[in-house]
């Protein structure tokens, strides 16, 4: 066991955790406001592609990262318009956006890099010459800020209000749809940032590279009971489990069972076996303003 | 305006608008959209090989579409057709390569039954969790999709692997579902096979069960108003589990097309997202089992058509069209349903 907690192992765990954590914290913003965002998977993917393209054309990883975030916000905007303004089904919209993102990224990968499955190699975060991983620092800041924003600020209170009881929030003069838009757009920005990490860490884009991480992020948020700290802890747990199987491939535990872990845990938590799962009451329900 | 037209206008407009969107994208990369679409439709529908390919691609979509539609009628949202399809396909293959000594007359029904039951079991888990603990079937079916994938990946890679492949051993030749080109000489070279007949039969079965039986009446009651169903002393928990199970069974036999009709083994990644596309099929067809056939064929045209235009534009153009058409349809039906005050189906 003593070679388990080597520096390399710990960093590998963080590396794996980051792309779960960012969309997972994003999911908290979206769902606290009452919008289920399955599109996180597609946002992660398109964020990774935008970051790759941005870095490829400018050679600047910061600009690339910005492209990832902006792309994430734009895709989240599609989800918001469809589900908040037009009140269409949030699950179906999310799935369709994921299909769309898969197609669009491959399509433009083919156009830009002349291969629908791989981009050219791009520079990574090492070009910044920092002695630490900036994404790791960013993640810690984001977790702390999110906790503060959601539980200690006026915006956080409003976000929770429109997710719990939109009628009551509306009657107090809160613009329900606008708050929900902000929640979903923040989730897009964070998932886009997570996508940028995927691309910069791998130094390239490959088709479907989000590989279900958006769904795992959603699962982590549920296991963390819609709380940013809980979600972060669940992400770290998944990152640890995955890192563990990479480290000990001959441990006898088939990797597929580690892969199942987040999903099985989610089902158990939802069934109420580990305390009570307490989703926002209006989660997933479009708000119909009554005249 | 005619009632049917009011229901159909959203879906039709979505298809047209998505083709226009795709056209803009095609023009953006310097190709002529008219040429690309002409090629797409001529190569898919202009010869019997193309038609065979389209119907082959449509077959699992009919069944996953039915699966989603059936659950919808009971007021349940089955996002799990992908997992049920995967588990069902594996089970059919397992029966096919395990009971090799059985004659076709026993083994074909056995493959169908194992596929159906495996899919039904997988879906029933979500039904049970909903009935017993009240946990929402949407998240649970999504989770079960990934669990199914990991489970089957384990079975294929660690238990039933043929070395240097990602598929199981071949099934015995007895339960092969015969291809139409071998049987009739039509659709030469396409893998279009008799599992299509099973899919069509399933549409009639769904219609019959929902519209003509007391059980179907109960399911519809549950779907329209759960409280009313409870007030009428229906066992809603049992109905929920059963509805999910039947829905999962439909998706479960969606694998016959690939396993018994085409490759004769189970392969990881065979599904091509048929379970998720099935959600779109059911939505566009508004859960009507016969409309599902035509919508599935439309998606079959897109899927095979992507391959035919690949020299002109990246074939992913059709994945984009699929995504766009679903987004448009949920938005436009929402708008038109409000405008015409239509009731939800």
């Amino acid at each position: 066991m003593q070679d388990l907690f080597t520096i390399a192992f710990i960093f590998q765990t963080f590396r794996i955790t980051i792309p779960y954590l960012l969309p997972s914290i994003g999911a908290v913003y979206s769902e606290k406001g009452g919008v289920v965002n399955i599109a996180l998977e597609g946002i992660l993917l398109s964020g990774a592609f935008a970051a790759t393209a941005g870095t490829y054309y400018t050679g600047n990883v910061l600009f690339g990262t910005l492209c990832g975030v902006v792309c994430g916000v734009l895709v989240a905007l599609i989800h918001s318009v469809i589900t908040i303004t037009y009140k269409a089904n949030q699950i179906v919209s999310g799935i369709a956006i994921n299909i769309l993102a898969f197609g669009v990224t491959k399509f433009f990968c083919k156009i830009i890099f002349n291969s629908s499955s791989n981009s050219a190699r791009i520079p990574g975060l090492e070009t910044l010459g920092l002695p630490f991983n900036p994404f790791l620092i960013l993640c810690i800041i984001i977790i702390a800020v999110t906790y503060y924003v959601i539980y200690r600020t006026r915006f956080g209170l409003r976000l929770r209000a429109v997710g719990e009881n939109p009628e009551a929030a509306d009657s107090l003069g809160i613009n329900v749809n606008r708050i929900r838009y902000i929640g979903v757009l923040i989730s897009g920005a964070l998932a886009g940032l997570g996508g940028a990490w995927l691309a910069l860490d791998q130094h390239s884009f490959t088709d479907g590279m989000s590989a279900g991480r958006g769904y795992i992020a959603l699962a982590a948020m549920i296991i963390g009971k819609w709380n940013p700290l809980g979600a972060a802890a669940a992400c770290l747990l998944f990152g640890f489990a995955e890192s563990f199987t990479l480290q000990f491939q001959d441990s006898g535990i088939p990797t597929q069972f580690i892969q199942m872990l987040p999903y099985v845990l989610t089902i158990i938590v939802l069934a109420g076996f580990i305390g009570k799962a307490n989703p926002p009451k209006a989660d997933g329900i479009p708000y119909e303003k009554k005249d | 305006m005619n009632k049917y037209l009011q229901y159909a206008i959203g879906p039709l407009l979505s298809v047209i608008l998505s083709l226009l969107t795709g056209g803009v994208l095609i023009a953006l990369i310097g190709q002529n959209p008219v040429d690309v679409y002409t090629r797409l439709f001529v190569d898919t529908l202009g010869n019997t090989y193309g038609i065979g390919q389209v119907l082959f691609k449509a077959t699992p979509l009919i069944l996953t579409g039915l699966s989603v539609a059936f659950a919808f009628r009971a007021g349940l949202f089955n996002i799990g057709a992908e997992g049920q399809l995967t588990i069902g396909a594996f089970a059919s293959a397992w029966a096919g390569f395990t009971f090799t000594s059985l004659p076709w007359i026993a083994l074909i029904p056995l493959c169908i039954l194992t596929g159906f039951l495996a899919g039904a079991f997988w879906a029933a888990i979500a039904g049970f969790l909903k009935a017993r603990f009240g946990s929402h079937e949407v998240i649970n079916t999504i989770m079960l999709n990934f669990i199914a994938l990991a489970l089957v990946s384990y079975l294929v890679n660690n238990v039933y692997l043929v070395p240097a492949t990602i598929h199981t051993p071949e099934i015995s030749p007895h339960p092969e579902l015969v291809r139409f080109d071998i049987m009739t000489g039509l659709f030469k070279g396409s893998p279009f096979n008799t599992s299509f007949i099973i899919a069509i039969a399933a549409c009639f079965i769904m219609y019959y069960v929902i519209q003509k039986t007391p059980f179907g009446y109960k399911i519809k009651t549950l779907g329209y108003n759960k409280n009313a169903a409870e007030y009428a002393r229906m066992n809603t928990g049992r109905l929920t589990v059963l509805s999910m199970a039947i829905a999962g069974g439909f998706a479960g036999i969606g694998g016959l097309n690939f396993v018994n009709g085409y490759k004769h083994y189970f392969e990881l990644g065979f599904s091509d997202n048929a379970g998720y596309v099935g959600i779109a099929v059911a939505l566009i067809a508004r859960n009507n089992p016969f409309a599902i056939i035509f919508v599935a064929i439309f998606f079959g045209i897109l899927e095979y058509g992507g391959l035919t235009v690949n020299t002109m534009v990246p074939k992913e153009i059709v994945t984009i069209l699929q995504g766009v058409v679903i987004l448009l349809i949920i938005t436009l039906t929402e708008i038109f349903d409000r405008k015409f005050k239509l009731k939800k189906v």
Side-chain angles (χ1 to χ4, degrees):
Chain A
M1 276 310 264
Q2 68 193 35
D3 51 325
L4 177 56
F5 292 102
T6 58
I7 297 291
F9 178 83
I10 291 168
F11 275 93
Q12 176 171 267
T13 302
F14 285 143
R15 234 194 75 236
I16 296 172
T17 304
I18 290 171
Y20 295 149
L21 192 127
L22 289 167
S24 195
I25 297 292
V28 172
Y29 281 99
S30 179
E31 299 225 1
K32 277 285 181 198
V35 180
V36 177
N37 191 356
I38 292 188
L40 288 173
E41 173 74 11
I43 296 174
L44 208 52
L45 186 63
S46 39
F49 183 77
T52 306
T55 310
Y56 175 73
Y57 281 121
T58 62
N60 184 331
V61 295
L62 289 179
F63 181 77
T65 306
L66 184 69
C67 288
V69 173
V70 171
C71 177
V73 172
L74 290 177
V75 180
L77 185 63
I78 300 176
H79 188 60
S80 316
V81 171
I82 290 172
T83 62
I84 302 173
T85 303
Y86 291 106
K87 310 183 197 314
N89 187 296
Q90 298 169 1
I91 306 289
V92 182
S93 169
I95 289 172
I97 287 175
N98 294 344
I99 293 175
L100 184 62
F102 187 74
V104 168
T105 51
K106 280 185 80 133
F107 185 87
F108 283 104
C109 197
K110 175 84 182 166
I111 305 287
I112 297 175
F113 301 105
N114 199 28
S115 151
S116 61
S117 51
N118 284 85
S119 77
R121 193 180 159 81
I122 53 164
L125 292 164
E126 69 284 345
T127 53
L128 295 175
L130 297 171
F132 53 86
N133 177 349
F135 270 77
L136 190 55
I137 309 293
L138 209 55
C139 279
I140 294 166
I141 296 172
I142 287 171
I143 295 168
V145 168
T146 299
Y147 186 83
Y148 181 79
V149 165
I150 288 189
Y151 296 104
R152 296 279 183 272
T153 66
R154 208 159 70 150
F155 167 74
L157 183 64
R158 289 181 171 182
L159 187 68
R160 285 181 289 141
V162 301
E164 285 291 336
N165 193 338
E167 289 81 12
D170 193 10
S171 71
L172 293 171
I174 296 172
N175 186 334
V176 173
N177 284 358
R178 189 164 71 198
I179 301 285
R180 287 188 167 183
Y181 259 88
I182 296 171
V184 178
L185 294 183
I186 293 175
S187 81
L190 291 175
L193 186 64
W197 163 260
L198 279 180
L200 293 174
D201 182 48
Q202 191 186 283
H203 291 91
S204 68
F205 173 84
T206 43
D207 64 324
M209 76 188 297
S210 51
R213 288 186 180 86
Y215 290 101
I216 294 194
L218 208 67
M221 184 220 51
I222 294 171
I223 294 168
K225 298 187 173 168
W226 287 265
N227 178 314
L229 300 182
C235 288
L236 197 60
L237 171 73
F238 298 158
F240 175 81
E242 213 178 305
S243 187
F244 183 83
T245 47
L246 284 176
Q247 194 93 342
F248 301 94
Q249 295 199 333
D250 50 356
S251 67
I253 309 169
T255 51
Q256 291 93 349
F257 289 106
I258 297 289
Q259 285 166 8
M260 280 182 210
L261 183 74
Y263 311 119
V264 175
L265 275 177
T266 305
I267 289 178
I268 294 172
V269 168
L270 271 181
F273 286 122
I274 307 173
K276 203 166 149 37
N278 234 342
K281 284 204 183 54
D283 201 10
I285 308 163
Y287 177 57
E288 306 272 355
K289 201 175 167 81
K290 307 215 172 36
D291 304 310
Chain B
M1 206 191 287
N2 177 302
K3 205 80 190 163
Y4 285 103
L5 202 60
Q6 289 184 351
Y7 276 110
I9 187 161
L12 287 176
L13 206 57
S14 312
V15 170
I16 295 167
L17 284 176
S18 68
L19 290 176
L20 285 176
T21 314
V24 172
L25 220 49
I26 294 167
L28 258 163
I29 61 167
Q31 293 282 355
N32 184 340
V34 179
D35 289 351
V36 172
Y37 282 137
T38 310
R39 167 78 75 84
L40 194 148
F41 285 106
V42 168
D43 281 4
T44 48
L45 300 177
N47 60 77
T48 60
Y49 171 75
I51 294 172
Q53 284 283 6
V54 166
L55 294 174
F56 170 74
K57 301 260 185 209
T59 304
L61 298 179
I62 294 174
L63 288 160
T64 52
L66 279 183
S67 173
V68 178
F70 193 90
F72 255 132
R73 299 313 294 259
L76 298 161
F77 198 179
N78 180 19
I79 312 287
E82 183 75 18
Q84 295 142 19
L85 170 68
T86 304
I87 294 279
F90 180 84
S92 294
W94 174 80
F97 65 68
T98 305
F99 304 101
T100 47
S101 55
L102 290 177
W104 69 269
I105 193 138
L107 201 42
I108 287 182
L110 188 67
C111 283
I112 297 174
L113 194 68
T114 48
F116 186 91
L117 289 178
F121 168 73
W122 206 248
I125 298 173
F128 170 77
L129 288 165
K130 170 133 186 158
R132 177 75 179 74
F133 302 107
S135 53
H136 207 288
E137 75 278 5
V138 166
I139 301 291
N140 278 334
T141 48
I142 292 173
M143 297 302 135
L144 284 165
N145 283 344
F146 289 104
I147 298 172
L149 211 62
L151 181 67
V152 169
S153 156
Y154 169 75
L155 290 172
V156 172
N157 283 313
N158 301 38
V159 186
Y160 297 108
L161 183 70
V162 174
T165 67
I166 47 167
H167 62 73
T168 63
E170 288 211 10
I171 59 174
S172 108
H174 303 149
E176 286 176 11
L177 289 166
V178 68
R179 282 163 58 152
F180 281 114
D181 59 347
I182 294 164
M183 198 164 64
T184 64
L186 291 171
F187 313 109
K188 202 107 203 108
S190 79
F192 177 41
N193 61 73
T194 32
S195 67
F196 183 74
I197 295 173
I198 297 174
I200 301 294
C203 294
F204 280 92
I205 292 171
M206 155 143 176
Y207 171 78
Y208 181 80
V209 169
I210 293 284
Q211 303 298 353
K212 307 285 178 201
T213 66
F215 176 64
Y217 182 76
K218 286 184 186 169
I219 284 182
K220 278 189 292 185
T221 311
L222 178 68
Y224 282 129
N225 191 334
K226 194 177 173 202
N227 294 333
E230 266 163 11
Y231 190 68
R233 298 193 173 255
M234 292 176 188
N235 186 338
T236 55
R238 194 167 149 265
L239 268 179
T240 301
V241 178
L242 264 178
S243 307
M244 277 307 283
I246 295 172
F250 282 136
I253 55 175
L256 295 170
N257 184 48
F258 182 90
V259 172
N260 297 58
Y262 179 37
K263 288 285 193 186
H264 307 135
Y265 50 70
F266 175 89
E267 185 174 55
L268 292 172
F270 78 100
S271 81
D272 240 350
N273 278 337
Y276 293 110
V277 178
I279 299 168
V281 171
L283 275 174
I284 300 177
R286 308 209 113 190
N287 305 322
N288 178 311
F290 301 115
I292 280 174
I293 300 172
F294 296 100
V295 179
I297 290 173
F298 169 72
F299 275 91
I301 294 172
L302 285 187
E303 274 183 26
Y304 179 63
L307 301 174
T308 68
V309 297
N310 204 16
T311 51
M312 305 161 84
V313 288
K315 65 174 188 299
E316 284 71 30
I317 186 77
V318 300
T319 316
I320 297 175
L321 288 179
Q322 284 183 355
V324 172
V325 80
I326 302 171
L327 290 177
L328 283 170
I329 204 143
I330 55 174
T331 312
L332 290 177
T333 44
E334 208 62 46
I335 293 172
F336 284 114
D337 283 7
R338 269 162 221 269
K339 190 171 153 73
F340 299 131
K341 302 192 168 51
L342 300 177
K343 65 176 187 203
K344 301 264 173 207
V345 189

